[in-house]
Amino acid sequence: MQDDHLRGVGLKVTVPRVKILQLLESEDNRHWTAEELHSALRQQACAVGLATVYRVLTQFEEAGLVKRHHFEGNTAVFELDREEHHDHLVCVRCGTVVEFVDEVIESCQVEIANKNGFKLTDHTLVIYGFCPSCR
């Protein structure tokens, strides 16, 4: 499956690319930092350097396989681009990320854009707060 994904976006199939894609696909709605992916690869005894992880993630982003987010601070997190729009709740204490879709919010955003003469092409909504575990 990963081989088809990589070839489908014009990327050569390599061990680091396949292993990173497997990790990204292993948990639904997971938002990984490069460091977390690197650590997970090391736990699997896969000798991939952190620089390679960053390079592969950049290639995946350019190919449209992943989306990069900068939620809080300077740390980027990556998620598979499943081509389904969603917004995010982010815990400011532990960094937990929850994805959600709310049709009322979606229609309000379109309405606001229209009222201001904008044709909405894309948007990002991130709500920051404390998750239930951190409250």
Side-chain angles (χ1 to χ4, degrees):
M1 184 68 166
Q2 288 84 14
D3 292 4
D4 293 339
H5 271 115
L6 294 172
R7 287 189 190 103
V9 296
L11 291 173
K12 186 176 172 183
V13 177
T14 64
V15 171
R17 288 179 182 149
V18 169
K19 293 285 188 184
I20 291 169
L21 190 55
Q22 285 173 339
L23 283 171
L24 289 166
E25 291 177 336
S26 68
E27 296 182 45
D28 283 345
N29 304 326
R30 174 77 191 266
H31 297 74
W32 295 82
T33 65
E35 291 78 8
E36 289 170 334
L37 287 166
H38 181 249
S39 176
L41 290 168
R42 286 182 35 194
Q43 289 176 1
Q44 295 178 359
C46 183
V48 175
L50 183 57
T52 300
V53 173
Y54 275 107
R55 187 171 46 256
V56 168
L57 288 170
T58 298
Q59 292 166 347
F60 283 4
E61 182 181 20
E62 290 170 354
L65 288 176
V66 299
K67 286 187 176 184
R68 178 189 310 245
H69 301 283
H70 294 276
F71 291 133
E72 188 70 17
N74 292 328
T75 303
V77 294
F78 299 84
E79 68 174 320
L80 280 179
D81 186 351
R82 300 185 192 277
E83 297 182 12
E84 298 170 350
H85 173 75
H86 59 269
D87 297 306
H88 297 94
L89 291 160
V90 179
C91 180
V92 296
R93 182 167 293 146
C94 71
T96 295
V97 178
V98 175
E99 297 178 356
F100 72 94
V101 176
D102 185 294
E103 293 306 319
V104 173
I105 291 173
E106 296 302 314
S107 63
C108 284
Q109 291 172 358
V110 171
E111 186 179 320
I112 291 167
N114 290 340
K115 282 182 185 177
N116 288 281
F118 280 72
K119 181 181 184 317
L120 188 62
T121 59
D122 194 14
H123 76 275
T124 302
L125 175 64
V126 181
I127 299 173
Y128 295 96
F130 294 102
C131 71
S133 297
C134 291
R135 287 196 310 191

